[in-house]
Amino acid sequence: METLALFFLFFFFSFKQLVLCADVCSPASCDGVGPRIRFPFRLIGRQPEHCGYPGFHLFCNNQSQTVLSLPLSGEFVVDYIDYTRQAIFINDPDLCDSKRILNFSLSRTPFEGTYTRKFTFLNCSSKATEYMSYNLIPLFCLSRENYSVMAMPSYSSAQEIPPSCRIISNVSVPIQRYAPQYWSSGQLREDFQLTWNEPRCRSCEADGGICGFEGNTFLEVGCSRPANDGLPRSAKYGIIVGIGVPGLLCLIGLACFAFGRVRVLSNRSRLNINELPTITISQQPVVRAAGLDEPTIASYPMTVLGESRRFPKSSDGTCPICLSDYEPKETLRSIPECNHYFHAKCIDEWLKLNGTCPLCRNSPDSSVGTPCSSMSSSYSLSSSEHH
C-alpha cells in the first residue's frame, strides 16, 4: 500500500507539471470553416490574448466566416493566410470588392499592399456593352439601370475615355502577387492581398518552426522548433528512470494484490457449474455499405479550383479524406445531396467502396447529378462566385 501511495503522489505532481507546460496556443478556426488561425493572428473568444500580436485580431461572424476588421475600411472576410510569405487574402462579404476599394485605407493597421495597381473608375451614361471597344471593364455591382460604372488602367491615355463618361475616382488596388502582368477584369474580383513586416516570422516558418512570444512577458518574438528535433540523452534517461521505476513498483504491488485475492477465492466453495446460467450470443449480421458504380460516380459535379480558393458556399480548405489543403487548379468533386467537396480522386475511390458521404454519412441520391464532362471543362469555383 505504501508503494501505491508513493506512485500516485508521483503521478499527481508529474501530471500537474504537464498541465502547466501545456499552456500553449493551439491553432483555431471558425467551427472548422476557413483558415487555421495561429500566431501572429488570434481568434477573439477562442484563443487567449497572448496568442496574437497587437493588431492581428480576427473574429467569427454569424455565418462562421473569419473576419478581419480594418479601422478605416470596415470588415472583410479572410479567405486564406500564407504564414511563410506573411500574406493575408481578404474580400468583401457582399462580393463587391470594387465598391470597397473606393474608400479603402490601411492606415492604423500593421498591413500594407505590397503589390498594387492603379485604376480609374468611370461613370458612363450608356449601357456597358457600348464601351467594349474602349478596353473598359464593367463593374456590375456598382452599375444601375440608368448608368454603368466602368474601370480602366490608369496608364491609359485621356483620349481613350468615351465622351459620355466622367471620372469618379483614381484608386490603388492591392492585387495579388501572382496576378497577370497585364490588367484584366479579374484583378478587381479576386481577393485583395495584404502583407505585414512585423513580426518577422518568414525564416522561422520556412524552416518548419512555430513563431510566437518568448517567456512570460509577451514582448519578444521567438521561434520554437518542432518536437522531432529530439531531446538530450540525459533528459531521455531521466524520463525513463522517473517514470519506469515507479511504474514497475506499481505493477509489482498490483500483482501481489491480485495473487492474494486469488488465494482467498480458491478457499471458498466452488460454484456448481451446472447451475450457472447459459448465455447464448446470437451473431448479428454484418452490414456492409455497398459502393456506387462508376457511371453514378461520374455523374456527380466536378469543379476546378481557382486561384482564390473560394467556394460557392462556406467550405473547409482541406480535403476530409486525404487531409491535404486544396491547391489552385486542382479538380474537386461534390456530392449533390449534401454539397460537400473532396479531391476528385479521393472521393471516387471512396464511393467505389462506400455509398455514403465521408462527412455526413448520408446516402447520395444517384438520380441527381450533372454530367461531369460538361462541368469540368468550363466551370471554375473562382469565376462562378462573381456571376
Side-chain angles (χ1 to χ4, degrees):
M1 294 301 293
E2 293 181 358
T3 302
L4 291 176
L6 290 175
F7 172 76
F8 285 115
L9 185 64
F10 171 81
F11 178 79
F12 172 77
F13 285 107
S14 300
F15 179 76
K16 182 178 180 181
Q17 184 67 23
L18 290 174
V19 170
L20 293 177
C21 295
D23 186 17
V24 296
C25 299
S26 302
S29 61
C30 295
D31 297 334
V33 179
R36 290 170 62 82
I37 307 304
R38 55 185 176 87
F39 190 89
F41 293 94
R42 178 179 78 94
L43 202 56
I44 297 177
R46 307 200 180 193
Q47 293 173 310
E49 187 173 357
H50 66 266
C51 292
Y53 201 77
F56 287 79
H57 303 312
L58 308 174
F59 66 92
C60 302
N61 62 11
N62 54 9
Q63 298 177 351
S64 297
Q65 294 175 314
T66 308
V67 177
L68 170 67
S69 180
L70 301 178
L72 302 180
S73 303
E75 298 177 355
F76 291 82
V77 173
V78 178
D79 273 345
Y80 179 67
I81 301 177
D82 191 328
Y83 294 94
T84 303
R85 290 163 49 193
Q86 297 197 173
I88 181 172
F89 299 82
I90 62 175
N91 65 77
D92 178 33
D94 297 327
L95 301 180
C96 189
D97 293 341
S98 54
K99 179 180 180 181
R100 300 297 298 276
I101 205 63
L102 288 172
N103 299 306
F104 190 78
S105 174
L106 294 176
S107 299
R108 296 163 50 188
T109 74
F111 306 104
E112 61 182 22
T114 305
Y115 313 100
T116 60
R117 188 159 298 174
K118 294 182 178 180
F119 300 98
T120 299
F121 284 12
L122 305 174
N123 187 322
C124 303
S125 58
S126 302
K127 295 182 179 179
T129 55
E130 300 180 11
Y131 301 102
M132 294 304 179
S133 59
Y134 288 91
N135 194 27
L136 302 181
I137 302 301
L139 304 177
F140 295 106
C141 65
L142 292 178
S143 301
R144 297 295 181 268
E145 293 182 0
N146 55 347
Y147 66 88
S148 299
V149 177
M150 317 292 288
M152 63 178 291
S154 295
Y155 55 76
S156 299
S157 61
Q159 289 76 11
E160 294 180 354
I161 300 177
S164 59
C165 298
R166 62 179 181 85
I167 296 177
I168 299 177
S169 176
N170 293 313
V171 298
S172 181
V173 181
I175 63 173
Q176 298 186 27
R177 178 180 181 181
Y178 298 107
Q181 181 66 25
Y182 296 98
W183 177 77
S184 66
S185 62
Q187 293 178 12
L188 289 175
R189 297 173 184 172
E190 293 290 339
D191 293 346
F192 299 147
Q193 177 179 342
L194 308 180
T195 59
W196 68 90
N197 291 322
E198 295 293 339
R200 299 180 181 273
C201 295
R202 287 188 178 90
S203 58
C204 176
E205 295 285 346
D207 293 339
I210 301 176
C211 210
F213 286 115
E214 285 186 333
N216 297 324
T217 59
F218 307 118
L219 297 177
E220 297 183 1
V221 176
C223 182
S224 60
R225 301 299 173 183
N228 57 7
D229 289 346
L231 294 174
R233 182 174 298 178
S234 58
K236 294 180 179 179
Y237 288 155
I239 293 175
I240 294 175
V241 174
I243 297 179
V245 172
L248 179 61
L249 294 177
C250 179
L251 290 177
I252 294 175
L254 291 176
C256 294
F257 175 77
F259 181 73
R261 293 293 298 173
V262 170
R263 291 185 59 184
V264 172
L265 293 175
S266 63
N267 294 330
R268 295 179 180 179
S269 301
R270 296 182 179 181
L271 296 175
N272 188 352
I273 299 178
N274 295 330
E275 295 178 358
L276 293 177
T278 302
I279 301 176
T280 303
I281 300 177
S282 59
Q283 184 177 3
Q284 299 293 332
V286 179
V287 179
R288 300 183 181 272
L292 304 180
D293 54 16
E294 293 186 359
T296 301
I297 298 174
S299 68
Y300 292 164
M302 293 180 63
T303 57
V304 177
L305 190 62
E307 290 292 337
S308 64
R309 305 179 179 90
R310 295 167 59 189
F311 293 83
K313 59 172 287 186
S314 297
S315 181
D316 194 4
T318 302
C319 177
I321 297 178
C322 66
L323 302 180
S324 299
D325 292 340
Y326 296 131
E327 297 294 338
K329 307 303 181 182
E330 284 189 336
T331 301
L332 312 183
R333 189 188 296 280
S334 62
I335 297 179
E337 287 296 313
C338 55
N339 202 22
H340 287 144
Y341 287 89
F342 311 87
H343 282 128
K345 294 182 179 179
C346 297
I347 191 61
D348 288 355
E349 294 298 323
W350 173 275
L351 292 176
K352 290 179 182 178
L353 301 176
N354 304 274
T356 59
C357 173
L359 285 179
C360 60
R361 296 297 182 182
N362 289 330
S363 298
D365 186 0
S366 60
S367 63
V368 180
T370 304
C372 63
S373 59
S374 62
M375 297 190 65
S376 61
S377 60
S378 60
Y379 183 79
S380 172
L381 283 175
S382 63
S383 61
S384 65
E385 296 170 337
H386 304 282
H387 294 282

